[in-house]
Amino acid sequence: MSGKYTLGYKTVIDTLRTSKGKLIIISNNCPPLRKSEIEYYAMLAKVGVHHYNGNNVDLGTACGKYFRVSCLSIIDAGDSDIIKSLPGDQ
Amino acid sequence: MVKFLKPNKAVILLQGRYAGRKGVIVKAFDDGTRDRAYGHCLVAGIKKYPSKVIRKDSAKKTAKKSRVKPFVKLVNYQHLMPTRYTLDVDLKEVVTPDVLTSKDKKVTALKETKKRFEERFKTGKNRWFFTKLRF
């Protein structure tokens, strides 16, 4: 309910460039070149990347959307503690 | 969460005439300007890389092989691939946004950039920057 996010490769890279992204989630069937590129940007920006255990269809469903989502970026956690709990257990 | 498109960052140009060339960010405009409403930066890069210099080259040949041809360009962030490398060559006074307004200013700025790039190449530091990206 609270918190902000963006979906999609283009916006994910944008949020990384402007250092707005706090956590990136990538589906497991994201093409490897794109996955490496996102991970490299995230490495430069010192942002955590979580590899979701499911493909883009599942990730889209998990977001409550009726389309596929390959990668998403969390800009603002809001009330959730995903950012504190997720990079911790990696 | 760390801003990485900062001055002295080595980048690779992805689009345009200079695609595949390496450059260094001289000045970054994150929020754009009135003419360019998107994030972009001034990049000073290498138009023509220096050739491979071997030990048995004469002094004249090494001088000829170590020549670097630079370029200066305003590039959209989307057309850059940032790298983990940096190149701390001080080009801030030499390369400014108003350099691109007139041909003479550009020529003098490029001459100065060429000089600085070449002396950096000759010291053997930042070797990655001066090698051509093979793709």
Side-chain angles (χ1 to χ4, degrees), chain A residues 10 14 16-22 37 40-41 43-47, chain B residues 1-5 9 14 30 77-85:
Chain A
K10 204 160 156 205
D14 265 342
L16 284 171
R17 266 194 220 114
T18 55
S19 53
K20 289 216 173 55
K22 310 264 186 309
E37 195 182 347
Y40 194 80
Y41 269 90
M43 175 269 288
L44 289 174
K46 301 216 207 320
V47 169
Chain B
M1 271 232 275
V2 170
K3 241 176 68 67
F4 49 87
L5 288 169
K9 189 78 158 156
L14 296 173
D30 284 333
Y77 282 160
Q78 283 198 353
H79 303 146
L80 293 175
M81 181 69 206
T83 64
R84 61 182 169 89
Y85 299 96

Short mmCIF file of all heavy atoms in Angstrom, two decimals, chain A residues 10 14 16-22 37 40-41 43-47, chain B residues 1-5 9 14 30 77-85:
data_model
loop_
_atom_site.label_atom_id
_atom_site.label_comp_id
_atom_site.label_asym_id
_atom_site.label_seq_id
_atom_site.Cartn_x
_atom_site.Cartn_y
_atom_site.Cartn_z
N LYS A 10 13.91 -0.55 -18.41
CA LYS A 10 14.32 0.83 -18.68
C LYS A 10 14.27 1.68 -17.41
O LYS A 10 15.21 2.42 -17.11
CB LYS A 10 13.37 1.41 -19.73
CG LYS A 10 13.95 2.53 -20.50
CD LYS A 10 13.21 2.71 -21.81
CE LYS A 10 13.39 4.15 -22.26
NZ LYS A 10 12.36 4.63 -23.11
N ASP A 14 17.17 3.52 -15.02
CA ASP A 14 17.04 4.94 -14.69
C ASP A 14 17.18 5.19 -13.20
O ASP A 14 17.87 6.10 -12.76
CB ASP A 14 15.65 5.44 -15.13
CG ASP A 14 15.71 6.07 -16.51
OD1 ASP A 14 16.84 6.41 -16.93
OD2 ASP A 14 14.66 6.24 -17.11
N LEU A 16 18.65 3.35 -11.06
CA LEU A 16 20.02 3.09 -10.62
C LEU A 16 20.91 4.27 -10.94
O LEU A 16 21.76 4.66 -10.14
CB LEU A 16 20.55 1.82 -11.28
CG LEU A 16 20.01 0.52 -10.68
CD1 LEU A 16 20.41 -0.65 -11.52
CD2 LEU A 16 20.52 0.34 -9.28
N ARG A 17 20.72 4.85 -12.12
CA ARG A 17 21.56 5.98 -12.51
C ARG A 17 21.35 7.18 -11.61
O ARG A 17 22.31 7.90 -11.30
CB ARG A 17 21.20 6.42 -13.94
CG ARG A 17 22.04 5.81 -14.97
CD ARG A 17 21.84 6.53 -16.26
NE ARG A 17 21.82 5.57 -17.33
CZ ARG A 17 20.79 5.30 -18.08
NH1 ARG A 17 19.66 5.94 -17.90
NH2 ARG A 17 20.86 4.39 -19.01
N THR A 18 20.09 7.43 -11.25
CA THR A 18 19.80 8.60 -10.42
C THR A 18 19.87 8.26 -8.94
O THR A 18 19.47 9.06 -8.11
CB THR A 18 18.40 9.14 -10.73
OG1 THR A 18 17.47 8.08 -10.57
CG2 THR A 18 18.34 9.66 -12.13
N SER A 19 20.35 7.07 -8.63
CA SER A 19 20.52 6.58 -7.26
C SER A 19 19.24 6.69 -6.45
O SER A 19 19.26 7.06 -5.28
CB SER A 19 21.67 7.27 -6.55
OG SER A 19 21.53 8.66 -6.60
N LYS A 20 18.11 6.36 -7.11
CA LYS A 20 16.84 6.38 -6.37
C LYS A 20 16.46 4.97 -5.95
O LYS A 20 15.71 4.78 -5.02
CB LYS A 20 15.72 6.95 -7.25
CG LYS A 20 15.87 8.41 -7.48
CD LYS A 20 14.50 9.08 -7.53
CE LYS A 20 14.63 10.57 -7.59
NZ LYS A 20 15.48 11.04 -8.72
N GLY A 21 16.94 3.98 -6.67
CA GLY A 21 16.57 2.61 -6.37
C GLY A 21 17.21 2.16 -5.08
O GLY A 21 18.35 2.47 -4.78
N LYS A 22 16.45 1.36 -4.30
CA LYS A 22 17.01 0.84 -3.05
C LYS A 22 17.22 -0.65 -3.14
O LYS A 22 18.06 -1.21 -2.45
CB LYS A 22 16.07 1.15 -1.89
CG LYS A 22 15.62 2.58 -1.79
CD LYS A 22 16.47 3.35 -0.82
CE LYS A 22 15.99 4.75 -0.56
NZ LYS A 22 15.74 5.55 -1.76
N GLU A 37 23.97 -6.79 -16.86
CA GLU A 37 24.04 -5.33 -16.95
C GLU A 37 23.42 -4.68 -15.72
O GLU A 37 23.99 -3.76 -15.14
CB GLU A 37 23.32 -4.87 -18.22
CG GLU A 37 23.66 -3.45 -18.57
CD GLU A 37 22.92 -2.95 -19.78
OE1 GLU A 37 22.33 -3.77 -20.50
OE2 GLU A 37 22.94 -1.73 -19.98
N TYR A 40 25.68 -5.09 -12.82
CA TYR A 40 26.85 -4.20 -12.86
C TYR A 40 26.47 -2.79 -12.40
O TYR A 40 27.17 -2.19 -11.59
CB TYR A 40 27.40 -4.18 -14.29
CG TYR A 40 28.77 -3.57 -14.39
CD1 TYR A 40 29.89 -4.32 -14.06
CD2 TYR A 40 28.96 -2.27 -14.82
CE1 TYR A 40 31.15 -3.77 -14.15
CE2 TYR A 40 30.22 -1.73 -14.91
CZ TYR A 40 31.30 -2.47 -14.59
OH TYR A 40 32.55 -1.93 -14.68
N TYR A 41 25.35 -2.30 -12.93
CA TYR A 41 24.89 -0.97 -12.50
C TYR A 41 24.66 -0.95 -10.99
O TYR A 41 24.98 0.00 -10.30
CB TYR A 41 23.58 -0.61 -13.19
CG TYR A 41 23.72 0.13 -14.51
CD1 TYR A 41 23.80 -0.55 -15.70
CD2 TYR A 41 23.75 1.51 -14.54
CE1 TYR A 41 23.91 0.13 -16.89
CE2 TYR A 41 23.85 2.19 -15.72
CZ TYR A 41 23.93 1.50 -16.90
OH TYR A 41 24.03 2.17 -18.09
N MET A 43 26.06 -2.83 -8.80
CA MET A 43 27.35 -2.87 -8.12
C MET A 43 27.94 -1.48 -8.02
O MET A 43 28.46 -1.07 -6.99
CB MET A 43 28.29 -3.82 -8.89
CG MET A 43 29.70 -3.89 -8.39
SD MET A 43 30.83 -2.71 -9.15
CE MET A 43 31.02 -3.38 -10.78
N LEU A 44 27.84 -0.72 -9.12
CA LEU A 44 28.37 0.64 -9.10
C LEU A 44 27.60 1.52 -8.13
O LEU A 44 28.17 2.38 -7.47
CB LEU A 44 28.29 1.27 -10.49
CG LEU A 44 29.23 0.73 -11.55
CD1 LEU A 44 28.91 1.35 -12.88
CD2 LEU A 44 30.67 1.01 -11.19
N ALA A 45 26.28 1.29 -8.06
CA ALA A 45 25.44 2.14 -7.22
C ALA A 45 25.37 1.62 -5.80
O ALA A 45 24.73 2.25 -4.95
CB ALA A 45 24.03 2.22 -7.80
N LYS A 46 25.98 0.46 -5.53
CA LYS A 46 25.94 -0.19 -4.22
C LYS A 46 24.50 -0.45 -3.79
O LYS A 46 24.08 -0.09 -2.69
CB LYS A 46 26.67 0.66 -3.17
CG LYS A 46 28.12 0.91 -3.52
CD LYS A 46 28.97 0.91 -2.29
CE LYS A 46 30.22 1.74 -2.37
NZ LYS A 46 30.95 1.72 -3.61
N VAL A 47 23.74 -1.03 -4.69
CA VAL A 47 22.35 -1.36 -4.41
C VAL A 47 22.22 -2.87 -4.45
O VAL A 47 22.84 -3.53 -5.28
CB VAL A 47 21.44 -0.72 -5.48
CG1 VAL A 47 20.05 -1.25 -5.40
CG2 VAL A 47 21.44 0.78 -5.31
N MET B 1 22.55 3.08 -4.56
CA MET B 1 22.21 4.28 -3.80
C MET B 1 23.33 5.29 -3.84
O MET B 1 23.22 6.39 -3.34
CB MET B 1 21.96 3.89 -2.34
CG MET B 1 20.54 3.53 -2.14
SD MET B 1 19.82 4.44 -0.81
CE MET B 1 20.31 3.42 0.54
N VAL B 2 24.42 4.85 -4.43
CA VAL B 2 25.55 5.77 -4.56
C VAL B 2 25.51 6.32 -5.97
O VAL B 2 25.37 5.58 -6.93
CB VAL B 2 26.85 5.01 -4.31
CG1 VAL B 2 28.05 5.85 -4.68
CG2 VAL B 2 26.93 4.58 -2.87
N LYS B 3 25.67 7.61 -6.08
CA LYS B 3 25.69 8.19 -7.42
C LYS B 3 27.01 7.83 -8.06
O LYS B 3 28.07 8.04 -7.46
CB LYS B 3 25.58 9.71 -7.31
CG LYS B 3 24.37 10.24 -8.00
CD LYS B 3 24.26 11.71 -7.78
CE LYS B 3 25.36 12.46 -8.48
NZ LYS B 3 25.25 12.38 -9.93
N PHE B 4 26.97 7.29 -9.26
CA PHE B 4 28.25 6.92 -9.85
C PHE B 4 28.54 7.67 -11.14
O PHE B 4 29.62 7.53 -11.70
CB PHE B 4 28.30 5.41 -10.11
CG PHE B 4 27.11 4.88 -10.82
CD1 PHE B 4 27.05 4.90 -12.20
CD2 PHE B 4 26.04 4.36 -10.11
CE1 PHE B 4 25.93 4.39 -12.86
CE2 PHE B 4 24.94 3.85 -10.76
CZ PHE B 4 24.88 3.87 -12.14
N LEU B 5 27.58 8.44 -11.64
CA LEU B 5 27.85 9.19 -12.88
C LEU B 5 28.44 10.53 -12.48
O LEU B 5 27.78 11.56 -12.53
CB LEU B 5 26.58 9.34 -13.69
CG LEU B 5 26.15 8.02 -14.33
CD1 LEU B 5 24.77 8.13 -14.90
CD2 LEU B 5 27.12 7.63 -15.43
N LYS B 9 34.66 9.64 -14.10
CA LYS B 9 34.25 8.24 -14.29
C LYS B 9 34.52 7.86 -15.73
O LYS B 9 34.19 8.60 -16.65
CB LYS B 9 32.75 8.12 -14.02
CG LYS B 9 32.29 6.71 -13.98
CD LYS B 9 32.65 6.14 -12.71
CE LYS B 9 31.92 4.97 -12.22
NZ LYS B 9 32.74 4.24 -11.28
N LEU B 14 27.72 4.24 -26.19
CA LEU B 14 26.99 3.13 -26.79
C LEU B 14 26.37 3.48 -28.13
O LEU B 14 26.07 2.60 -28.92
CB LEU B 14 25.86 2.69 -25.85
CG LEU B 14 26.31 2.14 -24.52
CD1 LEU B 14 25.11 1.92 -23.65
CD2 LEU B 14 27.07 0.86 -24.70
N ASP B 30 22.74 16.14 -14.08
CA ASP B 30 21.77 15.10 -13.74
C ASP B 30 20.36 15.48 -14.08
O ASP B 30 19.57 14.65 -14.51
CB ASP B 30 21.83 14.80 -12.24
CG ASP B 30 23.03 13.98 -11.92
OD1 ASP B 30 23.50 13.25 -12.80
OD2 ASP B 30 23.50 14.09 -10.79
N TYR B 77 22.69 10.13 -20.75
CA TYR B 77 23.07 9.02 -19.88
C TYR B 77 22.69 7.69 -20.47
O TYR B 77 23.37 6.68 -20.27
CB TYR B 77 22.38 9.14 -18.53
CG TYR B 77 23.00 10.14 -17.60
CD1 TYR B 77 22.28 10.65 -16.54
CD2 TYR B 77 24.31 10.56 -17.74
CE1 TYR B 77 22.82 11.55 -15.66
CE2 TYR B 77 24.86 11.46 -16.88
CZ TYR B 77 24.11 11.95 -15.84
OH TYR B 77 24.64 12.86 -14.97
N GLN B 78 21.57 7.69 -21.20
CA GLN B 78 21.09 6.43 -21.76
C GLN B 78 22.05 5.86 -22.79
O GLN B 78 22.00 4.68 -23.08
CB GLN B 78 19.77 6.67 -22.46
CG GLN B 78 18.63 6.79 -21.51
CD GLN B 78 17.31 6.60 -22.22
OE1 GLN B 78 17.28 6.49 -23.44
NE2 GLN B 78 16.26 6.54 -21.48
N HIS B 79 22.89 6.69 -23.33
CA HIS B 79 23.79 6.23 -24.38
C HIS B 79 25.19 5.99 -23.84
O HIS B 79 26.16 5.98 -24.60
CB HIS B 79 23.84 7.24 -25.52
CG HIS B 79 22.48 7.51 -26.09
ND1 HIS B 79 22.11 8.73 -26.57
CD2 HIS B 79 21.40 6.72 -26.21
CE1 HIS B 79 20.86 8.67 -26.98
NE2 HIS B 79 20.41 7.46 -26.77
N LEU B 80 25.29 5.81 -22.53
CA LEU B 80 26.58 5.55 -21.92
C LEU B 80 26.51 4.26 -21.15
O LEU B 80 25.48 3.91 -20.59
CB LEU B 80 26.95 6.64 -20.91
CG LEU B 80 27.22 8.02 -21.41
CD1 LEU B 80 27.42 8.92 -20.22
CD2 LEU B 80 28.46 8.05 -22.26
N MET B 81 27.64 3.55 -21.08
CA MET B 81 27.74 2.42 -20.16
C MET B 81 28.81 2.79 -19.15
O MET B 81 29.99 2.89 -19.52
CB MET B 81 28.15 1.17 -20.94
CG MET B 81 28.25 -0.07 -20.07
SD MET B 81 26.63 -0.60 -19.52
CE MET B 81 27.04 -1.45 -18.04
N PRO B 82 28.44 3.02 -17.90
CA PRO B 82 29.47 3.37 -16.94
C PRO B 82 30.31 2.15 -16.60
O PRO B 82 29.87 1.02 -16.73
CB PRO B 82 28.67 3.83 -15.72
CG PRO B 82 27.39 3.12 -15.83
CD PRO B 82 27.11 2.92 -17.27
N THR B 83 31.55 2.39 -16.19
CA THR B 83 32.42 1.29 -15.82
C THR B 83 32.90 1.52 -14.40
O THR B 83 32.63 2.55 -13.81
CB THR B 83 33.64 1.22 -16.73
OG1 THR B 83 34.40 2.42 -16.54
CG2 THR B 83 33.25 1.11 -18.18
N ARG B 84 33.63 0.54 -13.90
CA ARG B 84 34.13 0.72 -12.55
C ARG B 84 35.44 1.49 -12.53
O ARG B 84 36.01 1.76 -11.49
CB ARG B 84 34.32 -0.64 -11.87
CG ARG B 84 35.30 -1.53 -12.58
CD ARG B 84 35.39 -2.89 -11.88
NE ARG B 84 36.13 -3.83 -12.68
CZ ARG B 84 37.45 -4.00 -12.60
NH1 ARG B 84 38.15 -3.26 -11.78
NH2 ARG B 84 38.06 -4.88 -13.36
N TYR B 85 35.91 1.90 -13.70
CA TYR B 85 37.20 2.59 -13.76
C TYR B 85 37.01 4.10 -13.68
O TYR B 85 35.99 4.64 -14.05
CB TYR B 85 37.90 2.26 -15.08
CG TYR B 85 38.19 0.80 -15.25
CD1 TYR B 85 37.35 -0.02 -15.95
CD2 TYR B 85 39.35 0.25 -14.68
CE1 TYR B 85 37.62 -1.36 -16.11
CE2 TYR B 85 39.62 -1.09 -14.84
CZ TYR B 85 38.76 -1.89 -15.54
OH TYR B 85 39.02 -3.21 -15.70
#
